[in-house]
Amino acid sequence: MAELPEDFKCPISLELMNDPVILATGQTYNRSSIQRWLDAGHRSCPKTKQELKDTKLIPNYALRSLIHQWAQANGVELKKPSDLKTQLHNAANNSEKEALKQLKAIVDSLLRRLSSSGLQMRRDAIKDVRVLAKESKDTRTCIAEQGAIAHILPLLSCRDAQIEENAVVALLNLSVDDENKVGLVAEGAVDAVVHALKTGSADTRASAAVTITSLAMVDVNKATIGSRSDAISALIKLLAEGNPRGKKEATTALYSLCIYVDNRSRAVSQGLVSILLSLLSCEGGDTAERVLALLDLLATSAEGRMAAGAG
């Protein structure tokens, strides 16, 4: 048997994780181990020692998939997770089990169609994923757990405007649930969304900005997205040259990111304040209100006040 990869070990038990979850600090633990830690009254991250303001546990679907692949390839039998979701499934009646089975079959069929060489088949499949992801929390969970994210992300740079737009909105729909937001970022969604933000059609770029706003609702994601070298610059470019919808969504996304202090200096250093000041003279209504709100937020930093004074 191959040596167990370090990333597959729980930092607490040092054993192979069967149900990896992400803590608010961005660290991954096995659910049973970190839950025992929290149940014992601890309110800090075991690895980083950071105080926890939120003890919510978010499934790390990407890592879980990699662990399952490794276990299967090396003949390792994984223990079945004993989280609440599994318990509820075990207690479900036959009709509910059958409904879940059918949903998984639908998602699997869509993933096969997404991998098709036929352009129209891929267009229809990603449109169906977009619709399905809007249905309910259960369908979104199933889509994520079946490994759909890995199939969707490459579509954001496939150079087909119709597929790219539907792929971005599919990610947006999946990001509605908080437990998916960190998982999407962990699977590489930021790079894919930023690429669409820079190269997509007008509609795709605006939808990409909305997706960033949704992902940034989780605090740990604000830092992750902002640290991406061209995420903020791509939003600023959309704000400067986009259509009315693009400008509005770019302003909202930038506001969401700049709630995190470090992102304010990044945005100011890339010329955001001067662009916002220029927009005040030509934009009205909702967009103007968003521009003013963002300027007020940036003015809470010394860099922002200096840039506003210079402008």
Side-chain angles (χ1 to χ4, degrees):
M1 184 183 76
E3 183 178 354
L4 177 61
E6 287 297 321
D7 289 344
F8 293 178
K9 296 179 183 178
C10 174
I12 297 175
S13 68
L14 301 181
E15 296 177 350
L16 177 63
M17 291 185 282
N18 66 320
D19 191 11
V21 293
I22 304 170
L23 204 56
T25 57
Q27 300 297 320
T28 294
Y29 300 92
N30 204 41
R31 184 186 293 273
S32 59
S33 297
I34 190 61
Q35 191 62 62
R36 282 196 299 271
W37 170 268
L38 296 173
D39 290 345
H42 298 291
R43 288 299 177 266
S44 62
C45 175
K47 194 170 183 179
T48 67
K49 311 303 180 186
Q50 288 178 257
E51 182 181 351
L52 297 174
K53 297 180 180 179
D54 185 355
T55 58
K56 184 182 297 182
L57 302 177
I58 301 173
N60 190 334
Y61 295 125
L63 183 58
R64 182 190 296 180
S65 177
L66 291 174
I67 290 174
H68 277 261
Q69 292 174 23
W70 179 88
Q72 186 175 18
N74 290 277
V76 176
E77 185 175 353
L78 291 172
K79 296 178 182 179
K80 291 184 178 180
S82 57
D83 61 335
L84 178 60
K85 185 184 297 183
T86 301
Q87 295 172 24
L88 291 174
H89 283 171
N90 291 338
N93 59 40
N94 291 333
S95 62
E96 289 172 326
K97 288 181 179 179
E98 186 60 30
L100 179 61
K101 182 179 178 181
Q102 292 174 352
L103 178 57
K104 287 182 177 180
I106 291 171
V107 174
D108 285 342
S109 175
L110 288 174
L111 298 187
R112 288 193 296 272
R113 288 164 57 197
L114 285 179
S115 302
S116 168
S117 58
L119 177 61
Q120 191 57 50
M121 182 173 288
R122 283 185 284 131
R123 284 177 173 173
D124 292 340
I126 190 58
K127 184 176 180 181
D128 288 344
V129 172
R130 169 182 175 168
V131 172
L132 188 62
K134 197 173 183 180
E135 284 296 309
S136 68
K137 180 179 176 63
D138 287 341
T139 60
R140 289 188 288 274
T141 298
C142 183
I143 290 170
E145 289 183 340
Q146 294 299 103
I149 308 304
H151 290 76
I152 296 173
L153 295 184
L155 300 180
L156 274 69
S157 55
C158 71
R159 298 185 179 182
D160 181 88
Q162 186 176 330
I163 291 177
E164 289 179 352
E165 166 67 6
N166 281 315
V168 170
V169 179
L171 289 179
L172 172 61
N173 292 341
L174 289 170
S175 73
V176 167
D177 305 312
D178 283 352
E179 54 263 42
N180 282 344
K181 294 184 193 298
V182 174
L184 282 165
V185 172
E187 291 198 52
V190 176
D191 285 348
V193 172
V194 170
H195 184 276
L197 184 63
K198 293 164 62 178
T199 65
S201 66
D203 285 340
T204 298
R205 294 175 73 192
S207 296
V210 180
T211 304
I212 288 178
T213 300
S214 178
L215 294 175
M217 291 178 69
V218 174
D219 286 343
V220 68
N221 283 352
K222 290 180 175 67
T224 303
I225 296 170
S227 65
R228 172 67 156 79
S229 61
D230 50 357
I232 289 177
S233 63
L235 286 169
I236 292 175
K237 186 175 182 181
L238 178 60
L239 177 62
E241 65 183 30
N243 61 20
R245 181 190 171 216
K247 291 178 185 293
K248 182 176 73 173
E249 302 302 351
T251 307
T252 304
L254 285 164
Y255 186 95
S256 297
L257 290 175
C258 288
I259 291 174
Y260 180 65
V261 175
D262 288 355
N263 287 338
R264 296 175 202 170
S265 58
R266 291 173 179 144
V268 171
S269 68
Q270 295 181 48
L272 176 57
V273 172
S274 62
I275 292 174
L276 291 172
L277 291 173
S278 67
L279 287 174
L280 284 178
S281 62
C282 58
E283 297 291 339
D286 188 35
T287 300
E289 291 179 4
R290 296 180 190 218
V291 167
L292 283 170
L294 182 50
L295 278 171
D296 285 342
L297 180 60
L298 295 176
T300 61
S301 68
E303 300 98 328
R305 291 191 295 273
M306 185 178 298

